[in-house]
């Protein structure tokens, strides 16, 4: 995958889908959720104050910026696919480091097990004690890895990474970043 395709791939992942060190394989087929995926958000790129939305008042861009602090990424920007619920930051490749694109999508109304695109490459586990699914190559494209984090009621946060064509590097980075994202999410009470 070229460096130009990585941001597009993560934006597509953030729109279509949604962990760290997991063990159990997730079985079955991906199924579409009957819940709507979108919400209306104010121009500040934070979710609305809907009482059924556990992400009310949270900004996905703030979550990305805090999770990537100290890792050399620029300030996060809203994604093209779902600017109200998703943000991303991209670090270009250099002579000494491989570039990466990291996105976070806050999705009220979708469970963390919904829409696993590549079940044969998914593992169930937890991040900081929160139920989660990690999926290698969620769109069957090398260089991608994602974590789906449970956020109640029936909502999820997605952490998605594209790193050229290096799936192992993408999964290593998602496993480093997802605990930092998890710590900023509403608690599952």
């Amino acid at each position: 995958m070229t460096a130009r395709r990585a941001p597009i791939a993560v934006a597509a992942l953030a729109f279509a889908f949604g962990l760290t060190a997991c063990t159990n394989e997730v079985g079955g087929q991906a199924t579409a959720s009957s819940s709507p995926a979108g919400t209306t958000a104010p121009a500040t790129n934070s979710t609305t104050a809907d009482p059924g939305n556990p992400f009310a008042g949270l900004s996905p861009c703030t979550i990305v910026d805090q999770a990537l602090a100290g890792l050399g990424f620029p300030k996060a920007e809203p994604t093209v696919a779902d600017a109200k619920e998703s943000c991303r930051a991209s670090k270009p490749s250099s002579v000494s480091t491989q570039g990466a694109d990291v996105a976070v999508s806050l999705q009220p109304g979708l469970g963390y097990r919904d829409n696993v695109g590549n079940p044969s490459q998914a593992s169930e586990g937890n991040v900081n004690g929160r139920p989660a699914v990690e999926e290698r190559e969620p769109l069957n494209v090398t260089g991608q890895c994602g974590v789906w984090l449970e956020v109640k009621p029936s909502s999820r946060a997605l952490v998605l990474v594209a790193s050229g064509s290096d799936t192992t590097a993408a999964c290593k980075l998602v496993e480093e970043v997802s605990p930092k994202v998890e710590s900023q999410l509403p608690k599952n009470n």
Side-chain angles (χ1 to χ4, degrees):
M1 178 182 333
T2 66
R4 181 150 172 77
R5 286 187 182 169
I8 294 168
V10 169
L13 284 171
F15 181 72
F17 301 109
L19 161 115
T20 150
C22 296
T23 56
N24 300 325
E25 184 175 298
V26 174
Q29 297 293 321
T31 56
S33 171
S34 59
S35 302
T39 62
T40 305
T44 61
N45 197 37
S46 64
T47 57
T48 62
D50 174 358
N53 180 351
F55 304 117
L58 292 180
S59 166
C61 288
T62 299
I63 291 172
V64 171
D65 287 338
Q66 290 179 4
L68 296 176
L71 296 179
F73 280 82
K75 187 169 176 57
E77 298 177 347
T79 63
V80 173
D82 192 3
K84 295 176 183 176
E85 295 176 345
S86 303
C87 271
R88 63 179 270 279
S90 296
K91 180 168 57 172
S93 294
S94 70
V95 173
S96 59
T97 61
Q98 182 167 337
D101 196 73
V102 178
V104 170
S105 183
L106 306 177
Q107 298 182 332
L110 290 173
Y112 78 101
R113 292 179 177 153
D114 291 346
N115 306 105
V116 173
N118 192 359
S120 69
Q121 294 292 317
S123 300
E124 191 162 350
N126 71 76
V127 174
N128 295 340
R130 184 185 299 266
V133 171
E134 178 175 335
E135 185 176 3
R136 295 174 59 86
E137 303 175 0
L139 293 176
N140 292 312
V141 176
T142 59
Q144 300 172 349
C145 201
V147 172
W148 289 240
L149 298 159
E150 178 183 55
V151 180
K152 292 183 180 178
S154 300
S155 297
R156 67 184 180 190
L158 312 179
V159 183
L160 305 160
V161 173
S163 185
S165 60
D166 189 343
T167 302
T168 300
C171 289
K172 182 179 178 185
L173 182 56
V174 84
E175 290 170 2
E176 179 181 351
V177 171
S178 59
K180 296 173 185 177
V181 170
E182 187 283 329
S183 68
Q184 299 177 68
L185 299 174
K187 299 302 173 203
N188 282 342
N189 295 327

